[in-house]
Amino acid sequence: DQQVKQNSPSLSVQEGRISILNCDYTNSMFDYFLWYKKYPAEGPTFLISISSIKDKNEDGRFTVFLNKSAKHLSLHIVPSQPGDSAVYFCAAWRGGSEKLVFGKGTKLTVNP
Amino acid sequence: DTAVSQTPKYLVTQMGNDKSIKCEQNLGHDTMYWYKQDSKKFLKIMFSYNNKELIINETVPNRFSPKSPDKAHLNLHINSLELGDSAVYFCASSRGTVSYNEQFFGPGTRLTVL
């Protein structure tokens, strides 16, 4: 039962352009959504989060957009840099469950 | 200064063996977690401890037993290893008990069961 889905296993963009990573979810009861970034042979690191009561959160080059009616969120990276090349995981949290539910990840490659 | 450390980084063992993975965090966090990333790349919670008390225990075979000697350590012991246990196991920690707080992950332990 995949509650959090990242349907694109990979994405390739040119340096300086925008990267858009997408995430869909099925459970309308999720309260928070988070993005984690993972480099090879390392653990995931937290990137940015958004509460379900908001539709946008921005932190430097990273912006997360939430569309609750579509049960969809996206992570925008502008401008993309080669160091952004990593696997990006979308995760969701519901109050009372006390656990994060992760998607399968999208591998982003930013080409110089 | 490693925030969340795991040992060993790689573990290759035979079916039926018993093995342990150790995790330590020096962040002063109250909550620690074990996750499993299987071959399909899903990252799934296995256990969560807050101040040495078990708060999440997902549907995991009872061959897996977490042990928290103190709030800075959460070890994972696995009995009678099976082929399907091959995966990368991540330890994580966070402040407080609410898991949407930023979690800090260790580098992972790649377990291969032959």
Side-chain angles (χ1 to χ4, degrees), chain A residues 3-40:
Chain A
Q3 296 188 67
V4 177
K5 301 177 186 179
Q6 293 177 257
N7 293 319
S8 298
S10 63
L11 174 68
S12 183
V13 299
Q14 284 299 119
E15 181 178 5
R17 307 292 288 267
I18 184 171
S19 295
I20 300 176
L21 297 113
N22 294 305
C23 178
D24 296 297
Y25 60 95
T26 57
N27 189 340
S28 59
M29 302 298 289
F30 284 131
D31 296 298
Y32 272 89
F33 302 90
L34 303 89
W35 285 93
Y36 279 78
K37 177 170 78 171
K38 183 183 179 306
Y39 293 119

PDB file of all heavy atoms in Angstrom, chain A residues 3-40:
ATOM      1  N   GLN A   3       1.352   4.777   0.100  1.00  0.00           N
ATOM      2  CA  GLN A   3       0.627   6.002   0.417  1.00  0.00           C
ATOM      3  C   GLN A   3       1.324   7.227  -0.153  1.00  0.00           C
ATOM      4  O   GLN A   3       0.698   8.277  -0.308  1.00  0.00           O
ATOM      5  CB  GLN A   3       0.503   6.138   1.922  1.00  0.00           C
ATOM      6  CG  GLN A   3      -0.332   5.047   2.576  1.00  0.00           C
ATOM      7  CD  GLN A   3      -0.574   5.369   4.028  1.00  0.00           C
ATOM      8  OE1 GLN A   3      -1.266   6.330   4.367  1.00  0.00           O
ATOM      9  NE2 GLN A   3       0.007   4.567   4.910  1.00  0.00           N
ATOM     10  N   VAL A   4       2.623   7.110  -0.377  1.00  0.00           N
ATOM     11  CA  VAL A   4       3.407   8.216  -0.928  1.00  0.00           C
ATOM     12  C   VAL A   4       4.104   7.702  -2.188  1.00  0.00           C
ATOM     13  O   VAL A   4       4.848   6.715  -2.125  1.00  0.00           O
ATOM     14  CB  VAL A   4       4.446   8.731   0.091  1.00  0.00           C
ATOM     15  CG1 VAL A   4       5.295   9.835  -0.519  1.00  0.00           C
ATOM     16  CG2 VAL A   4       3.741   9.232   1.346  1.00  0.00           C
ATOM     17  N   LYS A   5       3.839   8.370  -3.293  1.00  0.00           N
ATOM     18  CA  LYS A   5       4.350   7.864  -4.559  1.00  0.00           C
ATOM     19  C   LYS A   5       5.213   8.909  -5.258  1.00  0.00           C
ATOM     20  O   LYS A   5       4.809  10.063  -5.394  1.00  0.00           O
ATOM     21  CB  LYS A   5       3.190   7.497  -5.487  1.00  0.00           C
ATOM     22  CG  LYS A   5       2.260   6.449  -4.937  1.00  0.00           C
ATOM     23  CD  LYS A   5       1.111   6.191  -5.873  1.00  0.00           C
ATOM     24  CE  LYS A   5       0.105   5.259  -5.245  1.00  0.00           C
ATOM     25  NZ  LYS A   5      -1.050   4.987  -6.120  1.00  0.00           N
ATOM     26  N   GLN A   6       6.368   8.473  -5.697  1.00  0.00           N
ATOM     27  CA  GLN A   6       7.206   9.302  -6.552  1.00  0.00           C
ATOM     28  C   GLN A   6       7.343   8.525  -7.851  1.00  0.00           C
ATOM     29  O   GLN A   6       8.083   7.543  -7.921  1.00  0.00           O
ATOM     30  CB  GLN A   6       8.570   9.547  -5.894  1.00  0.00           C
ATOM     31  CG  GLN A   6       8.455  10.397  -4.635  1.00  0.00           C
ATOM     32  CD  GLN A   6       9.803  10.580  -3.957  1.00  0.00           C
ATOM     33  OE1 GLN A   6      10.084   9.933  -2.951  1.00  0.00           O
ATOM     34  NE2 GLN A   6      10.608  11.469  -4.495  1.00  0.00           N
ATOM     35  N   ASN A   7       6.584   8.935  -8.837  1.00  0.00           N
ATOM     36  CA  ASN A   7       6.435   8.123 -10.046  1.00  0.00           C
ATOM     37  C   ASN A   7       7.596   8.241 -11.020  1.00  0.00           C
ATOM     38  O   ASN A   7       7.725   7.426 -11.933  1.00  0.00           O
ATOM     39  CB  ASN A   7       5.123   8.471 -10.749  1.00  0.00           C
ATOM     40  CG  ASN A   7       3.919   8.040  -9.916  1.00  0.00           C
ATOM     41  OD1 ASN A   7       3.918   6.964  -9.331  1.00  0.00           O
ATOM     42  ND2 ASN A   7       2.909   8.888  -9.845  1.00  0.00           N
ATOM     43  N   SER A   8       8.418   9.259 -10.838  1.00  0.00           N
ATOM     44  CA  SER A   8       9.584   9.392 -11.722  1.00  0.00           C
ATOM     45  C   SER A   8      10.805   8.874 -10.998  1.00  0.00           C
ATOM     46  O   SER A   8      11.268   9.491 -10.043  1.00  0.00           O
ATOM     47  CB  SER A   8       9.796  10.852 -12.103  1.00  0.00           C
ATOM     48  OG  SER A   8       8.703  11.342 -12.815  1.00  0.00           O
ATOM     49  N   PRO A   9      11.376   7.757 -11.448  1.00  0.00           N
ATOM     50  CA  PRO A   9      12.558   7.243 -10.759  1.00  0.00           C
ATOM     51  C   PRO A   9      13.791   8.100 -10.987  1.00  0.00           C
ATOM     52  O   PRO A   9      14.712   8.082 -10.171  1.00  0.00           O
ATOM     53  CB  PRO A   9      12.755   5.849 -11.365  1.00  0.00           C
ATOM     54  CG  PRO A   9      11.975   5.837 -12.605  1.00  0.00           C
ATOM     55  CD  PRO A   9      10.893   6.852 -12.480  1.00  0.00           C
ATOM     56  N   SER A  10      13.798   8.864 -12.084  1.00  0.00           N
ATOM     57  CA  SER A  10      14.968   9.690 -12.350  1.00  0.00           C
ATOM     58  C   SER A  10      14.580  10.945 -13.110  1.00  0.00           C
ATOM     59  O   SER A  10      13.532  11.014 -13.770  1.00  0.00           O
ATOM     60  CB  SER A  10      16.016   8.898 -13.147  1.00  0.00           C
ATOM     61  OG  SER A  10      15.493   8.542 -14.408  1.00  0.00           O
ATOM     62  N   LEU A  11      15.470  11.946 -12.994  1.00  0.00           N
ATOM     63  CA  LEU A  11      15.272  13.235 -13.664  1.00  0.00           C
ATOM     64  C   LEU A  11      16.647  13.802 -13.972  1.00  0.00           C
ATOM     65  O   LEU A  11      17.544  13.773 -13.117  1.00  0.00           O
ATOM     66  CB  LEU A  11      14.510  14.184 -12.738  1.00  0.00           C
ATOM     67  CG  LEU A  11      14.324  15.623 -13.199  1.00  0.00           C
ATOM     68  CD1 LEU A  11      13.394  15.670 -14.399  1.00  0.00           C
ATOM     69  CD2 LEU A  11      13.767  16.492 -12.067  1.00  0.00           C
ATOM     70  N   SER A  12      16.798  14.330 -15.173  1.00  0.00           N
ATOM     71  CA  SER A  12      18.073  14.915 -15.570  1.00  0.00           C
ATOM     72  C   SER A  12      17.827  16.339 -16.044  1.00  0.00           C
ATOM     73  O   SER A  12      16.931  16.584 -16.873  1.00  0.00           O
ATOM     74  CB  SER A  12      18.692  14.075 -16.691  1.00  0.00           C
ATOM     75  OG  SER A  12      19.959  14.577 -17.045  1.00  0.00           O
ATOM     76  N   VAL A  13      18.590  17.296 -15.509  1.00  0.00           N
ATOM     77  CA  VAL A  13      18.432  18.699 -15.904  1.00  0.00           C
ATOM     78  C   VAL A  13      19.808  19.322 -16.102  1.00  0.00           C
ATOM     79  O   VAL A  13      20.820  18.809 -15.619  1.00  0.00           O
ATOM     80  CB  VAL A  13      17.643  19.519 -14.857  1.00  0.00           C
ATOM     81  CG1 VAL A  13      16.250  18.964 -14.672  1.00  0.00           C
ATOM     82  CG2 VAL A  13      18.383  19.575 -13.551  1.00  0.00           C
ATOM     83  N   GLN A  14      19.815  20.444 -16.797  1.00  0.00           N
ATOM     84  CA  GLN A  14      21.052  21.179 -17.012  1.00  0.00           C
ATOM     85  C   GLN A  14      21.306  22.129 -15.849  1.00  0.00           C
ATOM     86  O   GLN A  14      20.369  22.696 -15.262  1.00  0.00           O
ATOM     87  CB  GLN A  14      20.975  21.992 -18.309  1.00  0.00           C
ATOM     88  CG  GLN A  14      21.138  21.158 -19.576  1.00  0.00           C
ATOM     89  CD  GLN A  14      22.470  20.450 -19.643  1.00  0.00           C
ATOM     90  OE1 GLN A  14      22.528  19.222 -19.696  1.00  0.00           O
ATOM     91  NE2 GLN A  14      23.549  21.227 -19.636  1.00  0.00           N
ATOM     92  N   GLU A  15      22.560  22.315 -15.544  1.00  0.00           N
ATOM     93  CA  GLU A  15      22.952  23.272 -14.512  1.00  0.00           C
ATOM     94  C   GLU A  15      22.345  24.630 -14.813  1.00  0.00           C
ATOM     95  O   GLU A  15      22.339  25.082 -15.971  1.00  0.00           O
ATOM     96  CB  GLU A  15      24.477  23.370 -14.466  1.00  0.00           C
ATOM     97  CG  GLU A  15      25.010  24.316 -13.413  1.00  0.00           C
ATOM     98  CD  GLU A  15      26.529  24.345 -13.385  1.00  0.00           C
ATOM     99  OE1 GLU A  15      27.166  23.703 -14.248  1.00  0.00           O
ATOM    100  OE2 GLU A  15      27.087  24.996 -12.481  1.00  0.00           O
ATOM    101  N   GLY A  16      21.819  25.263 -13.774  1.00  0.00           N
ATOM    102  CA  GLY A  16      21.233  26.586 -13.940  1.00  0.00           C
ATOM    103  C   GLY A  16      19.744  26.569 -14.229  1.00  0.00           C
ATOM    104  O   GLY A  16      19.068  27.592 -14.036  1.00  0.00           O
ATOM    105  N   ARG A  17      19.232  25.416 -14.673  1.00  0.00           N
ATOM    106  CA  ARG A  17      17.799  25.339 -14.974  1.00  0.00           C
ATOM    107  C   ARG A  17      17.034  24.925 -13.731  1.00  0.00           C
ATOM    108  O   ARG A  17      17.606  24.641 -12.674  1.00  0.00           O
ATOM    109  CB  ARG A  17      17.557  24.342 -16.111  1.00  0.00           C
ATOM    110  CG  ARG A  17      18.377  24.582 -17.354  1.00  0.00           C
ATOM    111  CD  ARG A  17      17.959  25.848 -18.059  1.00  0.00           C
ATOM    112  NE  ARG A  17      16.662  25.737 -18.712  1.00  0.00           N
ATOM    113  CZ  ARG A  17      16.494  25.391 -19.983  1.00  0.00           C
ATOM    114  NH1 ARG A  17      17.527  25.077 -20.734  1.00  0.00           N
ATOM    115  NH2 ARG A  17      15.283  25.350 -20.503  1.00  0.00           N
ATOM    116  N   ILE A  18      15.713  24.868 -13.854  1.00  0.00           N
ATOM    117  CA  ILE A  18      14.870  24.471 -12.734  1.00  0.00           C
ATOM    118  C   ILE A  18      14.723  22.951 -12.693  1.00  0.00           C
ATOM    119  O   ILE A  18      14.576  22.301 -13.736  1.00  0.00           O
ATOM    120  CB  ILE A  18      13.482  25.153 -12.812  1.00  0.00           C
ATOM    121  CG1 ILE A  18      12.644  24.820 -11.580  1.00  0.00           C
ATOM    122  CG2 ILE A  18      12.760  24.759 -14.092  1.00  0.00           C
ATOM    123  CD1 ILE A  18      11.345  25.622 -11.486  1.00  0.00           C
ATOM    124  N   SER A  19      14.791  22.384 -11.497  1.00  0.00           N
ATOM    125  CA  SER A  19      14.470  20.967 -11.292  1.00  0.00           C
ATOM    126  C   SER A  19      13.134  20.915 -10.574  1.00  0.00           C
ATOM    127  O   SER A  19      12.934  21.626  -9.576  1.00  0.00           O
ATOM    128  CB  SER A  19      15.518  20.272 -10.423  1.00  0.00           C
ATOM    129  OG  SER A  19      16.766  20.232 -11.052  1.00  0.00           O
ATOM    130  N   ILE A  20      12.242  20.086 -11.057  1.00  0.00           N
ATOM    131  CA  ILE A  20      10.930  19.911 -10.416  1.00  0.00           C
ATOM    132  C   ILE A  20      10.741  18.435 -10.108  1.00  0.00           C
ATOM    133  O   ILE A  20      10.690  17.603 -11.016  1.00  0.00           O
ATOM    134  CB  ILE A  20       9.782  20.425 -11.307  1.00  0.00           C
ATOM    135  CG1 ILE A  20       9.967  21.908 -11.604  1.00  0.00           C
ATOM    136  CG2 ILE A  20       8.435  20.186 -10.600  1.00  0.00           C
ATOM    137  CD1 ILE A  20       8.931  22.486 -12.556  1.00  0.00           C
ATOM    138  N   LEU A  21      10.679  18.146  -8.821  1.00  0.00           N
ATOM    139  CA  LEU A  21      10.470  16.762  -8.387  1.00  0.00           C
ATOM    140  C   LEU A  21       9.056  16.645  -7.837  1.00  0.00           C
ATOM    141  O   LEU A  21       8.618  17.483  -7.053  1.00  0.00           O
ATOM    142  CB  LEU A  21      11.499  16.372  -7.335  1.00  0.00           C
ATOM    143  CG  LEU A  21      12.936  16.409  -7.862  1.00  0.00           C
ATOM    144  CD1 LEU A  21      13.735  17.497  -7.189  1.00  0.00           C
ATOM    145  CD2 LEU A  21      13.603  15.068  -7.636  1.00  0.00           C
ATOM    146  N   ASN A  22       8.368  15.609  -8.252  1.00  0.00           N
ATOM    147  CA  ASN A  22       6.964  15.464  -7.911  1.00  0.00           C
ATOM    148  C   ASN A  22       6.699  14.322  -6.939  1.00  0.00           C
ATOM    149  O   ASN A  22       7.441  13.337  -6.901  1.00  0.00           O
ATOM    150  CB  ASN A  22       6.146  15.231  -9.184  1.00  0.00           C
ATOM    151  CG  ASN A  22       6.150  16.432 -10.093  1.00  0.00           C
ATOM    152  OD1 ASN A  22       5.796  17.528  -9.660  1.00  0.00           O
ATOM    153  ND2 ASN A  22       6.551  16.241 -11.338  1.00  0.00           N
ATOM    154  N   CYS A  23       5.613  14.481  -6.201  1.00  0.00           N
ATOM    155  CA  CYS A  23       5.231  13.486  -5.208  1.00  0.00           C
ATOM    156  C   CYS A  23       3.707  13.497  -5.091  1.00  0.00           C
ATOM    157  O   CYS A  23       3.100  14.562  -5.013  1.00  0.00           O
ATOM    158  CB  CYS A  23       5.883  13.843  -3.868  1.00  0.00           C
ATOM    159  SG  CYS A  23       5.478  12.742  -2.497  1.00  0.00           S
ATOM    160  N   ASP A  24       3.108  12.335  -5.095  1.00  0.00           N
ATOM    161  CA  ASP A  24       1.661  12.210  -4.910  1.00  0.00           C
ATOM    162  C   ASP A  24       1.395  11.374  -3.664  1.00  0.00           C
ATOM    163  O   ASP A  24       2.186  10.489  -3.322  1.00  0.00           O
ATOM    164  CB  ASP A  24       1.023  11.519  -6.125  1.00  0.00           C
ATOM    165  CG  ASP A  24       1.179  12.332  -7.377  1.00  0.00           C
ATOM    166  OD1 ASP A  24       0.643  13.454  -7.418  1.00  0.00           O
ATOM    167  OD2 ASP A  24       1.863  11.868  -8.311  1.00  0.00           O
ATOM    168  N   TYR A  25       0.281  11.645  -3.023  1.00  0.00           N
ATOM    169  CA  TYR A  25      -0.057  10.863  -1.835  1.00  0.00           C
ATOM    170  C   TYR A  25      -1.532  10.497  -1.863  1.00  0.00           C
ATOM    171  O   TYR A  25      -2.329  11.119  -2.566  1.00  0.00           O
ATOM    172  CB  TYR A  25       0.312  11.623  -0.556  1.00  0.00           C
ATOM    173  CG  TYR A  25      -0.385  12.955  -0.371  1.00  0.00           C
ATOM    174  CD1 TYR A  25      -1.555  13.071   0.373  1.00  0.00           C
ATOM    175  CD2 TYR A  25       0.146  14.108  -0.939  1.00  0.00           C
ATOM    176  CE1 TYR A  25      -2.175  14.287   0.548  1.00  0.00           C
ATOM    177  CE2 TYR A  25      -0.471  15.341  -0.773  1.00  0.00           C
ATOM    178  CZ  TYR A  25      -1.628  15.425  -0.028  1.00  0.00           C
ATOM    179  OH  TYR A  25      -2.255  16.644   0.141  1.00  0.00           O
ATOM    180  N   THR A  26      -1.867   9.471  -1.116  1.00  0.00           N
ATOM    181  CA  THR A  26      -3.239   8.979  -1.160  1.00  0.00           C
ATOM    182  C   THR A  26      -4.028   9.301   0.099  1.00  0.00           C
ATOM    183  O   THR A  26      -5.255   9.345   0.061  1.00  0.00           O
ATOM    184  CB  THR A  26      -3.248   7.448  -1.367  1.00  0.00           C
ATOM    185  OG1 THR A  26      -2.501   6.834  -0.312  1.00  0.00           O
ATOM    186  CG2 THR A  26      -2.628   7.081  -2.719  1.00  0.00           C
ATOM    187  N   ASN A  27      -3.339   9.545   1.200  1.00  0.00           N
ATOM    188  CA  ASN A  27      -4.017   9.739   2.482  1.00  0.00           C
ATOM    189  C   ASN A  27      -4.216  11.230   2.754  1.00  0.00           C
ATOM    190  O   ASN A  27      -3.269  11.957   3.009  1.00  0.00           O
ATOM    191  CB  ASN A  27      -3.173   9.103   3.604  1.00  0.00           C
ATOM    192  CG  ASN A  27      -3.900   9.055   4.926  1.00  0.00           C
ATOM    193  OD1 ASN A  27      -4.864   9.794   5.145  1.00  0.00           O
ATOM    194  ND2 ASN A  27      -3.442   8.203   5.816  1.00  0.00           N
ATOM    195  N   SER A  28      -5.459  11.677   2.711  1.00  0.00           N
ATOM    196  CA  SER A  28      -5.741  13.107   2.906  1.00  0.00           C
ATOM    197  C   SER A  28      -5.547  13.541   4.361  1.00  0.00           C
ATOM    198  O   SER A  28      -5.658  14.726   4.673  1.00  0.00           O
ATOM    199  CB  SER A  28      -7.173  13.417   2.468  1.00  0.00           C
ATOM    200  OG  SER A  28      -8.087  12.637   3.208  1.00  0.00           O
ATOM    201  N   MET A  29      -5.249  12.593   5.241  1.00  0.00           N
ATOM    202  CA  MET A  29      -5.066  12.921   6.651  1.00  0.00           C
ATOM    203  C   MET A  29      -3.624  13.306   6.998  1.00  0.00           C
ATOM    204  O   MET A  29      -3.337  13.643   8.142  1.00  0.00           O
ATOM    205  CB  MET A  29      -5.473  11.723   7.526  1.00  0.00           C
ATOM    206  CG  MET A  29      -6.908  11.272   7.324  1.00  0.00           C
ATOM    207  SD  MET A  29      -8.085  12.553   7.763  1.00  0.00           S
ATOM    208  CE  MET A  29      -7.920  12.555   9.535  1.00  0.00           C
ATOM    209  N   PHE A  30      -2.725  13.252   6.038  1.00  0.00           N
ATOM    210  CA  PHE A  30      -1.343  13.643   6.331  1.00  0.00           C
ATOM    211  C   PHE A  30      -1.291  15.100   6.760  1.00  0.00           C
ATOM    212  O   PHE A  30      -1.960  15.968   6.192  1.00  0.00           O
ATOM    213  CB  PHE A  30      -0.443  13.434   5.116  1.00  0.00           C
ATOM    214  CG  PHE A  30      -0.073  11.998   4.869  1.00  0.00           C
ATOM    215  CD1 PHE A  30      -0.204  11.445   3.599  1.00  0.00           C
ATOM    216  CD2 PHE A  30       0.429  11.199   5.885  1.00  0.00           C
ATOM    217  CE1 PHE A  30       0.140  10.127   3.347  1.00  0.00           C
ATOM    218  CE2 PHE A  30       0.776   9.881   5.645  1.00  0.00           C
ATOM    219  CZ  PHE A  30       0.630   9.343   4.375  1.00  0.00           C
ATOM    220  N   ASP A  31      -0.463  15.391   7.783  1.00  0.00           N
ATOM    221  CA  ASP A  31      -0.371  16.738   8.341  1.00  0.00           C
ATOM    222  C   ASP A  31       0.892  17.485   7.911  1.00  0.00           C
ATOM    223  O   ASP A  31       0.915  18.715   7.911  1.00  0.00           O
ATOM    224  CB  ASP A  31      -0.380  16.660   9.872  1.00  0.00           C
ATOM    225  CG  ASP A  31      -1.690  16.111  10.399  1.00  0.00           C
ATOM    226  OD1 ASP A  31      -2.719  16.760  10.164  1.00  0.00           O
ATOM    227  OD2 ASP A  31      -1.677  15.042  11.042  1.00  0.00           O
ATOM    228  N   TYR A  32       1.944  16.735   7.653  1.00  0.00           N
ATOM    229  CA  TYR A  32       3.211  17.352   7.268  1.00  0.00           C
ATOM    230  C   TYR A  32       3.821  16.557   6.127  1.00  0.00           C
ATOM    231  O   TYR A  32       3.650  15.336   6.052  1.00  0.00           O
ATOM    232  CB  TYR A  32       4.204  17.344   8.445  1.00  0.00           C
ATOM    233  CG  TYR A  32       4.105  18.542   9.339  1.00  0.00           C
ATOM    234  CD1 TYR A  32       3.242  18.534  10.424  1.00  0.00           C
ATOM    235  CD2 TYR A  32       4.868  19.680   9.107  1.00  0.00           C
ATOM    236  CE1 TYR A  32       3.124  19.629  11.248  1.00  0.00           C
ATOM    237  CE2 TYR A  32       4.765  20.790   9.930  1.00  0.00           C
ATOM    238  CZ  TYR A  32       3.898  20.753  10.998  1.00  0.00           C
ATOM    239  OH  TYR A  32       3.783  21.839  11.819  1.00  0.00           O
ATOM    240  N   PHE A  33       4.538  17.290   5.295  1.00  0.00           N
ATOM    241  CA  PHE A  33       5.268  16.660   4.198  1.00  0.00           C
ATOM    242  C   PHE A  33       6.711  17.155   4.240  1.00  0.00           C
ATOM    243  O   PHE A  33       6.972  18.319   4.552  1.00  0.00           O
ATOM    244  CB  PHE A  33       4.628  17.014   2.848  1.00  0.00           C
ATOM    245  CG  PHE A  33       3.192  16.592   2.774  1.00  0.00           C
ATOM    246  CD1 PHE A  33       2.177  17.458   3.176  1.00  0.00           C
ATOM    247  CD2 PHE A  33       2.848  15.329   2.331  1.00  0.00           C
ATOM    248  CE1 PHE A  33       0.852  17.072   3.131  1.00  0.00           C
ATOM    249  CE2 PHE A  33       1.517  14.929   2.284  1.00  0.00           C
ATOM    250  CZ  PHE A  33       0.525  15.802   2.692  1.00  0.00           C
ATOM    251  N   LEU A  34       7.626  16.244   3.968  1.00  0.00           N
ATOM    252  CA  LEU A  34       9.036  16.569   4.067  1.00  0.00           C
ATOM    253  C   LEU A  34       9.767  16.048   2.829  1.00  0.00           C
ATOM    254  O   LEU A  34       9.347  15.083   2.204  1.00  0.00           O
ATOM    255  CB  LEU A  34       9.658  15.907   5.310  1.00  0.00           C
ATOM    256  CG  LEU A  34       9.023  16.239   6.662  1.00  0.00           C
ATOM    257  CD1 LEU A  34       7.896  15.262   6.991  1.00  0.00           C
ATOM    258  CD2 LEU A  34      10.068  16.190   7.769  1.00  0.00           C
ATOM    259  N   TRP A  35      10.853  16.722   2.524  1.00  0.00           N
ATOM    260  CA  TRP A  35      11.764  16.247   1.482  1.00  0.00           C
ATOM    261  C   TRP A  35      13.120  15.980   2.116  1.00  0.00           C
ATOM    262  O   TRP A  35      13.639  16.789   2.897  1.00  0.00           O
ATOM    263  CB  TRP A  35      11.912  17.273   0.367  1.00  0.00           C
ATOM    264  CG  TRP A  35      10.730  17.355  -0.535  1.00  0.00           C
ATOM    265  CD1 TRP A  35       9.667  18.206  -0.421  1.00  0.00           C
ATOM    266  CD2 TRP A  35      10.476  16.564  -1.697  1.00  0.00           C
ATOM    267  NE1 TRP A  35       8.770  17.994  -1.433  1.00  0.00           N
ATOM    268  CE2 TRP A  35       9.250  16.988  -2.246  1.00  0.00           C
ATOM    269  CE3 TRP A  35      11.171  15.541  -2.349  1.00  0.00           C
ATOM    270  CZ2 TRP A  35       8.695  16.433  -3.391  1.00  0.00           C
ATOM    271  CZ3 TRP A  35      10.627  14.983  -3.497  1.00  0.00           C
ATOM    272  CH2 TRP A  35       9.395  15.433  -4.005  1.00  0.00           C
ATOM    273  N   TYR A  36      13.679  14.827   1.764  1.00  0.00           N
ATOM    274  CA  TYR A  36      15.017  14.459   2.190  1.00  0.00           C
ATOM    275  C   TYR A  36      15.864  14.233   0.946  1.00  0.00           C
ATOM    276  O   TYR A  36      15.376  13.766  -0.089  1.00  0.00           O
ATOM    277  CB  TYR A  36      14.995  13.173   3.027  1.00  0.00           C
ATOM    278  CG  TYR A  36      14.628  13.367   4.481  1.00  0.00           C
ATOM    279  CD1 TYR A  36      13.302  13.541   4.871  1.00  0.00           C
ATOM    280  CD2 TYR A  36      15.604  13.403   5.464  1.00  0.00           C
ATOM    281  CE1 TYR A  36      12.968  13.736   6.200  1.00  0.00           C
ATOM    282  CE2 TYR A  36      15.287  13.584   6.800  1.00  0.00           C
ATOM    283  CZ  TYR A  36      13.968  13.754   7.162  1.00  0.00           C
ATOM    284  OH  TYR A  36      13.645  13.944   8.487  1.00  0.00           O
ATOM    285  N   LYS A  37      17.158  14.534   1.087  1.00  0.00           N
ATOM    286  CA  LYS A  37      18.106  14.333   0.001  1.00  0.00           C
ATOM    287  C   LYS A  37      19.106  13.276   0.433  1.00  0.00           C
ATOM    288  O   LYS A  37      19.533  13.248   1.604  1.00  0.00           O
ATOM    289  CB  LYS A  37      18.825  15.664  -0.288  1.00  0.00           C
ATOM    290  CG  LYS A  37      19.884  15.584  -1.341  1.00  0.00           C
ATOM    291  CD  LYS A  37      20.363  16.977  -1.724  1.00  0.00           C
ATOM    292  CE  LYS A  37      21.299  17.576  -0.732  1.00  0.00           C
ATOM    293  NZ  LYS A  37      21.900  18.834  -1.243  1.00  0.00           N
ATOM    294  N   LYS A  38      19.484  12.402  -0.496  1.00  0.00           N
ATOM    295  CA  LYS A  38      20.416  11.342  -0.132  1.00  0.00           C
ATOM    296  C   LYS A  38      21.510  11.208  -1.190  1.00  0.00           C
ATOM    297  O   LYS A  38      21.229  10.980  -2.368  1.00  0.00           O
ATOM    298  CB  LYS A  38      19.669  10.014   0.019  1.00  0.00           C
ATOM    299  CG  LYS A  38      20.579   8.867   0.480  1.00  0.00           C
ATOM    300  CD  LYS A  38      19.836   7.568   0.544  1.00  0.00           C
ATOM    301  CE  LYS A  38      20.764   6.439   0.979  1.00  0.00           C
ATOM    302  NZ  LYS A  38      21.974   6.311   0.150  1.00  0.00           N
ATOM    303  N   TYR A  39      22.753  11.327  -0.722  1.00  0.00           N
ATOM    304  CA  TYR A  39      23.909  11.044  -1.570  1.00  0.00           C
ATOM    305  C   TYR A  39      24.282   9.570  -1.421  1.00  0.00           C
ATOM    306  O   TYR A  39      23.981   8.939  -0.393  1.00  0.00           O
ATOM    307  CB  TYR A  39      25.099  11.917  -1.181  1.00  0.00           C
ATOM    308  CG  TYR A  39      24.918  13.386  -1.446  1.00  0.00           C
ATOM    309  CD1 TYR A  39      24.950  14.317  -0.407  1.00  0.00           C
ATOM    310  CD2 TYR A  39      24.732  13.868  -2.735  1.00  0.00           C
ATOM    311  CE1 TYR A  39      24.800  15.673  -0.653  1.00  0.00           C
ATOM    312  CE2 TYR A  39      24.575  15.226  -2.990  1.00  0.00           C
ATOM    313  CZ  TYR A  39      24.608  16.110  -1.934  1.00  0.00           C
ATOM    314  OH  TYR A  39      24.452  17.454  -2.186  1.00  0.00           O
ATOM    315  N   PRO A  40      24.959   9.011  -2.435  1.00  0.00           N
ATOM    316  CA  PRO A  40      25.371   7.596  -2.336  1.00  0.00           C
ATOM    317  C   PRO A  40      26.207   7.335  -1.092  1.00  0.00           C
ATOM    318  O   PRO A  40      27.039   8.159  -0.700  1.00  0.00           O
ATOM    319  CB  PRO A  40      26.204   7.398  -3.616  1.00  0.00           C
ATOM    320  CG  PRO A  40      25.705   8.425  -4.560  1.00  0.00           C
ATOM    321  CD  PRO A  40      25.331   9.608  -3.720  1.00  0.00           C
TER     322      PRO A  40
END
